[in-house]
Amino acid sequence: MEDQHERVPVDGRVLVEEKVPVEQLVPVKRVPVEERFHLEERVPVEERVLVEGRIPVEENFDPSVMGRINEDGYESMSGSGNLDGGLEDEQETLVLERPAKKLKYHRHTQEQINELETCFKEWPHPDEKQRLDLSRKLNLEPRQVKFWFQNRRTQMKNQLERHENVMLRQENDKLRVENVAIKDAVRNPICNHCGGVAMLGNITIEENQLRVENAQLRDELSRICGLAEKFLGRPVTPLASPIALPRPSSNLELEVAGNGFGGLNSGGTPLPMGPLTRPGMMGVEKPFNSSVFVELAVTAMDELLRLAQADSPIWMTSLDGGKETLNPVEYMRTFSPCIGLKPSGFVTEASRETGMVMINSLALVETLMDGSRWAQMFPCVIAKASTTDVLSSGIGRTRHGALQLMHAELQVLSPLVPVRQVKFLRFCKQHGEGLWAVVDVSIDTALDGASINSFVNCRRLPSGCVVQDLSNGYTRVTWIEHSEYDESAVHYLYRSLLSSGLGFGALRWLATLQRQCESIAILLSSTVPCEDHPVLTQAGRRSLLQLTNRMRDNFCAGVCASTVRMWNKLHVASLGEDVKVMTRKSMNIPGEPPGVILSAATSVWMPIMHQQLFNFLRDERQRSKWDILSNGGPMQEMIHIPKGQTSSNCVSLLRPNARNQNDNTMLILQETWADASGSLIVYAPLDVASMRAVMTGGDSSFVALLPSGFAIVPDGSSGYGDDWSGKLARGSSNKGSGSLLTVAFQILVNSLPMAKLNVESVETVNSLLSCTINKIKSAVSSA
């Protein structure tokens, strides 16, 4: 227990009194109150005594200030409260008989205080060992160190409490003001329906909920009108009459007009929105906030039009003058990210191409806004496409203002490039007579707010095309592709191809569109002379082309493993990482033989330009150098149906060299095409009886076939120009570049659908794949 005769001032200094026996204490005569102060004045400071153990107080002491220094240079105490109490006490007091000693209060030096403050920041609660070390270091008593830390902690606590009191007082004042405002609002209610004074009465819960929803719709309509005003350039007023209570069949009308492309706009025609609901749980329709998609679509359209401007500084011309590249600095300065920041690890690809297409703008817009027709127009680019939701079908019977949510699987014909799953908004808008724009932009969330995919390997930034009719019947198309994708999932052989824009870029989309439109125009306008092909009729020609399209689609699905066909991937260690082997069971599927079907595909680099490699593989006279179906000799072309201005774009029916009359039972159906982005050769063996039925106009959907073939693209190491058709015809070469060759086979390994796949079948297909590639390498190297 601490000594009762010790007193601890607030500032931590210790005053130690000398213990006096009780028998030495003698009574002192009381002093009248009016004489007490005079008595204190007559007693010198050094002769003052302790009264009941109290601490002497200086004459100039201010109780509100601690640590005041007296005239002797020592710090005085703040014990005025005890002093007053001792003066008013009427009981008898005791004083010391011996002369009082001078009491000195030791004040800490500035160095000691600095050291104590430093230690307090590190450990505000020192233990006994730390106090002893600190006392020896500062030449202080351990109790002085202990009391200094106690007083310092008390001071910090008081400061914190004062700060909290100030904050609580401010919060209390704020709550008081809000409380007054709420009371005023309760006393003077306002009707959410008309904005006037509310008439108090009995209101049901359903009616109150409808009024709340009505108020939310008013706010939403005001925000949408403000958005439309931004792009219209003139004020857009909401509905003049009060909005009635919402009904399940009501439609929301939005007004979105031109956004200034080329100074053209489509006026202020309202954009009707369809029923903005989506099936939820238990079949219940769930409404969603359509204005978010409308705002995103309008923003994407504005960005597309600015990217399509010919003199835009956002695009830079490459050094070889072959293509345009995006200026990322200027792009970031011009546009804000409309779908969020780029994910970590993603890379950006952007390209722009302009060309003439043999189609009018209305037909092209209708094709782009229909999912199935869009996939047919780009057969080797789009594996699968569908329209998920239609937010707006357009104005009047046109596609102006059409807004819909779509899903697509985009592919490059190689097993080394993963299929891109994209879900996006497609917005179509007419900006003038014969001037249309269609824009796509990915969305990160579904209509009900849930995430679309747990992992997305590609995001499509504002992309699309601007089409304008020309006087010669053609359409000028400016195509823009801008996306972000995960490059780590792409094989190193195809990274240069994708970054150059030949994989999913604008050149491939525009070249495919030009080739398909040219093919459609030729097939619709030309006729097959009966004297050259007496067996093939017009109906037979149409049936043969349908069979060819199915063969090509099945080949692409087997190479890229899209969801069009339910393929099961096989992991065989002996095949290597670059060979993809898949299998599926065909049972009661029209157009396929029943049994177990095996697909094997791989991609390799070839030291030859893709035009030369394409010309070699499509030449029926040199087919015996790599094809085992040729029976070691040249093939004869029986039927040739052109699908383009060059002879390379065609459908052919080939007959292998027959060694004897019994072998003349098989024909080969083949399709070949080439454009600026690459080339394709697809073929399938068919029996003579099936082909005779097709050529006479029979139904080709029941003809069973398993396609094989080649996909050839540039390796992306060199630039590309516009004279691709001339290079194909001349067979020109460029020693500084190569090509990427994809080889794929589909083979029926067992005619029983429920049979198990054995290792020997996989090795046989792999041997066929390797043997074909080696033969092609040997042939092109010796040429």
Side-chain angles (χ1 to χ4, degrees):
M1 180 179 296
E2 298 181 3
D3 193 351
Q4 297 180 357
H5 294 275
E6 294 179 349
R7 296 294 184 267
V8 182
V10 179
D11 58 356
R13 285 174 292 280
V14 182
L15 177 63
V16 182
E17 300 178 11
E18 182 178 348
K19 297 182 179 180
V20 182
V22 180
E23 57 272 10
Q24 295 182 10
L25 300 176
V26 296
V28 180
K29 182 180 179 180
R30 296 181 181 177
V31 181
V33 178
E34 61 274 6
E35 298 180 5
R36 291 176 185 175
F37 296 102
H38 300 286
L39 181 61
E40 284 185 340
E41 294 175 358
R42 290 195 298 268
V43 179
V45 176
E46 61 275 6
E47 298 180 5
R48 295 179 185 176
V49 296
L50 290 175
V51 181
E52 292 185 354
R54 295 183 179 84
I55 302 173
V57 182
E58 299 295 333
E59 296 178 1
N60 298 327
F61 176 76
D62 187 358
S64 63
V65 182
M66 295 185 297
R68 178 81 46 97
I69 302 176
N70 59 14
E71 59 185 6
D72 294 331
Y74 300 102
E75 186 175 358
S76 59
M77 302 290 295
S78 59
S80 58
N82 294 335
L83 180 60
D84 296 338
L87 293 176
E88 296 177 358
D89 190 5
E90 295 182 358
Q91 297 182 359
E92 194 172 67
T93 60
L94 300 176
V95 298
L96 299 176
E97 287 184 342
R98 65 171 124 185
K101 295 182 179 180
K102 180 179 180 181
L103 300 179
K104 296 183 178 180
Y105 302 95
H106 301 285
R107 183 189 183 191
H108 301 327
T109 62
Q110 188 64 37
E111 292 77 7
Q112 293 173 337
I113 294 175
N114 294 339
E115 185 66 24
L116 290 171
E117 289 288 351
T118 303
C119 296
F120 182 80
K121 294 178 181 179
E122 297 180 1
W123 22 271
H125 295 272
D127 53 16
E128 185 177 358
K129 182 178 180 303
Q130 291 172 334
R131 290 197 301 268
L132 289 176
D133 295 340
L134 193 57
S135 63
R136 285 194 296 266
K137 181 178 179 181
L138 301 179
N139 195 20
L140 295 173
E141 293 294 333
R143 291 184 179 274
Q144 289 180 289
V145 176
K146 175 182 178 181
F147 294 141
W148 189 92
F149 274 90
Q150 289 179 355
N151 296 335
R152 190 68 179 89
R153 291 193 298 268
T154 303
Q155 183 183 10
M156 293 290 293
K157 181 180 178 181
N158 293 337
Q159 292 177 356
L160 180 60
E161 289 178 352
R162 284 195 297 268
H163 177 71
E164 291 179 352
N165 289 336
V166 172
M167 298 300 294
L168 291 174
R169 190 179 298 110
Q170 293 177 356
E171 185 177 357
N172 191 20
D173 295 339
K174 182 179 180 181
L175 292 175
R176 187 181 295 108
V177 173
E178 293 180 357
N179 192 15
V180 172
I182 293 174
K183 288 181 179 180
D184 293 339
V186 172
R187 286 193 296 266
N188 302 307
I190 298 177
C191 178
N192 293 328
H193 179 67
C194 61
V197 179
M199 300 299 294
L200 299 180
N202 296 327
I203 301 177
T204 62
I205 298 178
E206 292 78 7
E207 185 178 357
N208 182 63
Q209 180 66 23
L210 290 176
R211 291 186 176 184
V212 172
E213 293 179 0
N214 194 15
Q216 294 176 352
L217 289 175
R218 276 181 171 274
D219 296 339
E220 185 71 15
L221 182 59
S222 300
R223 194 172 72 87
I224 293 173
C225 290
L227 178 64
E229 179 181 350
K230 175 183 177 182
F231 294 95
L232 266 177
R234 59 179 179 83
V236 178
T237 59
L239 299 178
S241 59
I243 302 177
L245 294 178
R247 300 178 182 177
S249 61
S250 62
N251 295 337
L252 179 63
E253 292 189 355
L254 306 177
E255 186 175 359
V256 180
N259 50 11
F261 177 76
L264 299 176
N265 58 62
S266 58
T269 310
L271 172 63
M273 304 300 293
L276 305 180
T277 57
R278 179 178 177 85
M281 298 179 61
M282 305 293 292
V284 179
E285 296 289 331
K286 292 179 61 178
F288 66 93
N289 190 0
S290 63
S291 63
V292 177
F293 298 100
V294 174
E295 183 176 357
L296 178 60
V298 174
T299 304
M301 177 64 73
D302 179 68
E303 180 173 331
L304 176 71
L305 297 180
R306 298 176 69 177
L307 290 174
Q309 294 178 0
D311 55 349
S312 175
I314 304 174
W315 297 96
M316 302 182 301
T317 305
S318 60
L319 297 178
D320 56 1
K323 64 176 182 177
E324 292 179 314
T325 59
L326 187 70
N327 186 348
V329 178
E330 187 67 24
Y331 178 82
M332 294 298 295
R333 184 185 299 112
T334 307
F335 304 107
S336 300
C338 60
I339 58 173
L341 299 177
K342 180 171 65 175
S344 177
F346 277 40
V347 296
T348 303
E349 62 175 8
S351 56
R352 182 177 70 170
E353 290 292 333
T354 302
M356 305 301 173
V357 182
M358 193 182 300
I359 191 174
N360 62 73
S361 61
L362 292 178
L364 180 56
V365 167
E366 288 292 336
T367 301
L368 296 177
M369 299 306 295
D370 186 281
S372 59
R373 293 174 60 182
W374 179 48
Q376 293 173 4
M377 182 63 75
F378 301 91
C380 297
V381 182
I382 304 173
K384 185 179 180 180
S386 61
T387 301
T388 306
D389 292 276
V390 177
L391 282 71
S392 172
S393 58
I395 300 174
R397 297 181 178 180
T398 67
R399 289 292 185 175
H400 171 61
L403 179 63
Q404 56 194 29
L405 185 65
M406 303 184 69
H407 176 267
E409 297 181 10
L410 309 181
Q411 61 187 3
V412 169
L413 296 182
S414 171
L416 306 183
V417 181
V419 177
R420 291 185 177 182
Q421 302 275 351
V422 290
K423 194 166 187 177
F424 55 92
L425 283 172
R426 174 160 288 182
F427 181 40
C428 179
K429 194 168 177 46
Q430 184 179 11
H431 297 275
E433 185 66 26
L435 179 60
W436 294 78
V438 180
V439 64
D440 298 341
V441 58
S442 292
I443 56 175
D444 295 333
T445 56
L447 296 183
D448 54 1
S451 177
I452 295 175
N453 293 319
S454 57
F455 175 77
V456 178
N457 62 354
C458 177
R459 302 196 318 161
R460 203 171 188 197
L461 278 70
S463 306
C465 60
V466 178
V467 297
Q468 185 176 11
D469 286 332
L470 301 178
S471 58
N472 57 357
Y474 281 72
T475 299
R476 183 175 183 269
V477 178
T478 300
W479 201 286
I480 295 172
E481 280 296 319
H482 190 191
S483 60
E484 298 169 345
Y485 64 97
D486 183 13
E487 191 181 37
S488 61
V490 181
H491 196 275
Y492 72 92
L493 283 177
Y494 281 82
R495 292 185 180 180
S496 298
L497 178 77
L498 266 60
S499 62
S500 65
L502 291 174
F504 296 97
L507 177 66
R508 188 184 181 199
W509 287 93
L510 184 59
T512 304
L513 179 62
Q514 291 173 331
R515 175 174 48 81
Q516 286 293 104
C517 291
E518 179 182 316
S519 174
I520 294 173
I522 292 177
L523 293 176
L524 291 178
S525 62
S526 62
T527 59
V528 180
C530 296
E531 58 270 19
D532 295 338
H533 306 284
V535 181
L536 185 64
T537 63
Q538 287 290 343
R541 181 170 148 216
R542 183 167 50 253
S543 181
L544 184 61
L545 292 176
Q546 291 176 355
L547 181 62
T548 305
N549 293 337
R550 180 161 60 88
M551 175 184 67
R552 179 197 58 216
D553 295 340
N554 290 352
F555 171 78
C556 296
V559 172
C560 301
S562 62
T563 59
V564 177
R565 299 289 183 181
M566 300 304 296
W567 291 98
N568 297 320
K569 297 181 181 180
L570 299 179
H571 300 281
V572 183
S574 60
L575 298 182
E577 299 179 356
D578 297 342
V579 179
K580 178 183 291 185
V581 179
M582 301 179 295
T583 181
R584 60 185 175 91
K585 297 178 180 180
S586 176
M587 184 167 36
N588 298 327
I589 299 178
E592 288 187 357
V596 179
I597 299 176
L598 188 67
S599 173
T602 186
S603 297
V604 295
W605 182 82
M606 303 292 291
I608 184 175
M609 288 193 66
H610 69 284
Q611 295 94 344
Q612 289 180 308
L613 183 59
F614 171 74
N615 290 330
F616 166 75
L617 293 176
R618 76 179 183 89
D619 190 355
E620 61 272 9
R621 296 170 299 180
Q622 304 188 56
R623 196 172 186 116
S624 59
K625 296 181 179 181
W626 58 267
D627 190 4
I628 61 175
L629 298 177
S630 63
N631 295 328
M635 288 191 178
Q636 178 185 359
E637 186 179 43
M638 298 179 57
I639 296 178
H640 179 90
I641 302 177
K643 296 183 65 177
Q645 296 180 357
T646 61
S647 60
S648 59
N649 294 352
C650 65
V651 173
S652 304
L653 187 62
L654 307 177
R655 181 168 58 187
N657 182 27
R659 297 178 180 178
N660 52 59
Q661 295 295 331
N662 296 329
D663 294 339
N664 195 9
T665 59
M666 183 187 69
L667 300 176
I668 295 178
L669 179 64
Q670 175 176 281
E671 180 184 9
T672 62
W673 59 256
D675 56 31
S677 62
S679 54
L680 181 73
I681 301 174
V682 184
Y683 62 92
L686 298 171
D687 60 277
V688 176
S690 299
M691 287 305 304
R692 184 178 292 110
V694 172
M695 293 170 64
T696 56
D699 188 4
S700 63
S701 60
F702 295 96
V703 177
L705 54 79
L706 292 176
S708 302
F710 309 96
I712 310 169
V713 293
D715 59 3
S717 61
S718 61
Y720 53 85
D722 297 330
D723 190 23
W724 60 272
S725 58
K727 292 180 180 179
L728 285 173
R730 298 189 303 268
S732 61
S733 62
N734 185 356
K735 298 182 179 180
S737 61
S739 59
L740 299 175
L741 173 66
T742 297
V743 185
F745 292 100
Q746 292 187 30
I747 300 176
L748 182 67
V749 296
N750 198 312
S751 59
L752 299 177
M754 304 308 296
K756 293 184 179 180
L757 185 67
N758 51 37
V759 181
E760 289 77 10
S761 300
V762 177
E763 292 179 352
T764 301
V765 176
N766 183 45
S767 300
L768 176 62
L769 200 66
S770 303
C771 181
T772 303
I773 294 176
N774 293 333
K775 287 183 177 181
I776 294 174
K777 287 183 177 179
S778 300
V780 298
S781 61
S782 60

